């Protein structure tokens, strides 16, 4: 029986695939590679010494999705696939609703058809919207502020209605705070297309010389130094949280939401200082206007995940910065490697790449 990972070639997806394989799970990956690179999966294969099937499939292609379930005995699904750029979602809302919502509905319908009713869903702290109380716990009111966040919220509501209609489903909704860092090997990491929207990949690209300086979005917030405070969580801790949620979801048919954060908040300038210590690189920055839609402070109360999943984030901000820097310094252009140098893995798995090329 295999675990199906949608969007498994992505930043969090590839780290979760690695942890699943190392824990002895059999996995099957589907990805449309619209926002990820198959190279990440080759490297997961190299790091673990384990092979796995990868299908080039878009969740909007229901026929191909059915083929994956026909060809593999799927026990449960971890669902990462989705567009996730806040700014882009404001410009292209229909793309986001179509891709994230319809894609998820297709997945749920196919899962139901094949009687696969265990799901871990990748949600986001963005569903809490503009909250003024901290730390944030799962029972806080929700209210997303942009189309991306609204797709996450709507999917959470769809899952709740699905569970009410059929309590054979086991569903874990994981609300991520701010994932950063990379696997210790430096072989897999965050590789955003174009200029990064998020803080850490922007900092690492300044450090490696791809960008000239960091723009700090505002320093008039009610925080330690006026810059925005967030709950940064190491992507490996986040990946391990998925394994613990999967274990709980497969053993109990319930629906629960969990915050995956450290419970600690760091300001932008505190992250810059931590990164400079870790990388021994100076990060030139300029204070500019606050970014529209940003909240001042956002950090988690992770107690429920600790109590119910036995999960606690273990890595601190220094390790997150060290690991982020190792990935970027070893891969200045991310996964954009010369395909002629690609290991046999990708060529030999061409037959695994099925669906619309
Ligand atoms: C962090 C802090 C910025 C960039 C977003 C999504 C959320 C999730 C994580 C998907 C803020 C500041 C940033 C820069 C800066 N994504 N910043 N200069 O906005 O907390 O969350 O990414 O699930 O849904 O909303 O993360 O990394 O963009 O910003 O000063 O160039 O860094 O103002 O205070 P955010 P971020």
């Amino acid at each position: 029986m295999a675990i199906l990972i949608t969007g498994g070639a992505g930043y969090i997806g590839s780290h979760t695939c690695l942890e699943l394989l190392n824990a002895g799970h059999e996995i099957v990956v589907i990805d449309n590679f619209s926002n990820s690179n198959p190279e990440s999966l080759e490297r997961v294969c190299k790091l673990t010494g384990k092979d796995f099937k990868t299908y080039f499939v878009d969740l909007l292609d229901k026929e191909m999705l059915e083929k994956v379930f026909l060809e593999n005995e799927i026990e449960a699904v971890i669902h990462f696939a989705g567009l996730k750029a806040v700014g882009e979602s404001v410009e292209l809302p229909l793309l986001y609703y179509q891709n994230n919502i319809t894609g998820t509905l297709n997945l749920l319908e196919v899962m139901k058809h094949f009687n696969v009713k265990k799901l871990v869903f990748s949600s986001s702290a963005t569903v809490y919207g503009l909250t003024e109380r901290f730390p944030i716990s799962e029972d806080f009111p929700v209210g997303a502020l942009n189309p991306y966040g609204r797709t996450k919220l709507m999917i959470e509501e769809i899952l709740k209605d699905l569970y009410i209609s059929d309590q054979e489903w086991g569903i874990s909704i994981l609300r991520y705070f701010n994932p950063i860092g990379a696997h210790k090997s430096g072989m897999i990491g965050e590789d955003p297309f174009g200029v990064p929207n998020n803080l850490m990949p922007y900092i690492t690209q300044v450090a490696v010389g791809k960008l000239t300086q960091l723009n700090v979005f505002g320093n008039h917030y009610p925080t330690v130094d006026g810059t925005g405070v967030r709950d940064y969580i190491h992507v490996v801790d986040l990946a391990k949280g998925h394994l613990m949620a999967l274990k709980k979801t497969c053993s109990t048919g319930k629906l629960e939401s969990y915050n995956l954060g450290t419970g600690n908040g760091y300001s932008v300038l505190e992250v810059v200082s931590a990164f400079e210590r870790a990388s021994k690189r100076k990060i030139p920055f300029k204070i500019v206007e606050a970014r529209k839609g940003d909240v001042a402070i956002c950090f988690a109360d992770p107690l429920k995940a600790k109590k119910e999943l036995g999960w606690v984030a273990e890595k601190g901000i220094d390790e997150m910065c060290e690991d982020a820097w190792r990935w970027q310094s070893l891969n200045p252009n991310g996964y954009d490697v010369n395909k002629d140098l690609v290991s046999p893995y990708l060529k030999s798995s061409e037959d695994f790449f099925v669906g619309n090329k």
Side-chain angles (χ1 to χ4, degrees):
M1 298 281 273
I3 309 295
L4 176 68
I5 297 102
T6 76
Y11 172 42
I12 304 167
S14 54
H15 281 85
T16 304
C17 287
L18 186 142
E19 297 301 330
L20 284 164
L21 289 166
N22 283 342
H25 289 281
E26 188 196 337
I27 68 170
V28 172
V29 174
I30 60 174
D31 205 305
N32 69 0
F33 302 110
S34 66
N35 198 14
S36 57
N37 192 313
E39 173 79 9
S40 65
L41 297 173
E42 282 183 55
R43 297 190 186 186
V44 167
C45 172
K46 276 188 205 160
L47 282 165
T48 59
K50 297 184 177 175
D51 209 345
F52 49 89
K53 278 187 185 177
T54 298
Y55 289 80
F56 194 144
V57 167
D58 189 309
L59 291 182
L60 297 179
D61 183 345
K62 205 170 172 185
E63 222 176 290
M64 272 317 305
L65 202 45
E66 283 162 356
K67 180 177 167 56
V68 175
F69 279 77
L70 275 172
E71 292 183 357
N72 300 278
E73 224 185 322
I74 305 295
E75 171 191 9
V77 177
I78 303 182
H79 177 31
F80 292 106
L83 296 174
K84 68 171 194 92
V86 170
E88 185 185 53
S89 78
V90 175
E91 284 162 39
L92 302 169
L94 295 181
L95 175 71
Y96 272 67
Y97 288 119
Q98 184 68 6
N99 190 76
N100 293 4
I101 307 277
T102 309
T104 301
L105 288 172
N106 283 349
L107 174 67
L108 295 173
E109 281 163 6
V110 172
M111 286 176 72
K112 183 165 179 280
H113 178 73
F114 286 90
N115 201 32
V116 177
K117 297 184 174 179
K118 304 296 180 194
L119 173 73
V120 175
F121 173 60
S122 162
S123 189
S124 165
T126 208
V127 301
Y128 292 114
L130 273 177
T131 178
E132 294 302 324
R133 286 182 299 141
F134 310 97
I136 299 173
S137 54
E138 290 82 354
D139 57 356
F140 270 32
V142 290
L145 300 170
N146 53 68
Y148 158 72
R150 276 190 278 276
T151 65
K152 291 296 183 184
L153 205 45
M154 288 177 192
I155 293 167
E156 289 195 10
E157 293 307 309
I158 290 166
L159 294 175
K160 287 174 189 161
D161 289 338
L162 176 61
Y163 176 69
I164 290 165
S165 74
D166 173 1
Q167 302 196 355
E168 273 186 23
W169 283 83
I171 298 172
S172 287
I173 293 170
L174 304 184
R175 293 170 174 168
Y176 310 155
F177 282 69
N178 288 61
I180 62 170
H183 184 259
K184 206 88 16 265
S185 64
M187 280 179 67
I188 56 174
E190 189 168 11
D191 183 20
F193 284 1
V195 176
N197 299 307
N198 296 132
L199 179 66
M200 186 51 83
Y202 202 104
I203 289 176
T204 58
Q205 288 194 19
V206 169
V208 82
K210 285 189 77 174
L211 296 168
T212 49
Q213 76 171 4
L214 169 69
N215 293 315
V216 175
F217 296 147
N219 68 343
H220 297 304
Y221 291 111
T223 63
V224 59
D225 54 26
T227 62
V229 168
R230 295 291 185 276
D231 184 333
Y232 297 96
I233 173 172
H234 198 293
V235 66
V236 171
D237 277 331
L238 190 63
K240 289 179 175 171
H242 286 72
L243 270 70
M244 295 157 109
L246 180 70
K247 190 164 162 230
K248 170 111 186 339
T249 303
C250 288
S251 58
T252 69
K254 281 182 73 184
L255 179 144
E256 290 293 348
S257 301
Y258 298 102
N259 285 342
L260 295 191
T262 65
N264 303 313
Y266 288 94
S267 74
V268 175
L269 295 184
E270 286 172 329
V271 173
V272 169
S273 308
F275 186 85
E276 287 181 333
R277 283 196 305 275
S279 63
K280 305 213 180 352
R281 295 286 171 106
K282 195 87 189 92
I283 302 296
F285 66 84
K286 195 172 107 196
I287 306 286
V288 298
E289 282 258 295
R291 182 170 62 177
K292 222 161 62 52
D294 269 1
V295 294
I297 302 169
C298 179
F299 62 91
D301 172 349
L303 203 56
K304 184 178 176 187
K306 180 178 180 184
K307 272 171 50 184
E308 296 188 14
L309 304 180
W311 174 87
V312 179
E314 292 165 354
K315 298 171 188 291
I317 192 71
D318 293 332
E319 190 172 352
M320 293 181 215
C321 291
E322 284 156 19
D323 294 348
W325 174 235
R326 186 179 307 106
W327 150 255
Q328 189 75 80
S329 56
L330 291 176
N331 304 273
N333 294 315
Y335 291 116
D336 191 10
V337 289
N338 172 344
K339 278 293 160 231
D340 300 341
L341 305 178
V342 150
S343 72
Y345 171 74
L346 191 61
K347 294 198 177 61
S348 69
S349 70
E350 274 305 300
D351 50 332
F352 284 141
F353 281 80
V354 294
N356 39 350
K357 285 257 177 257

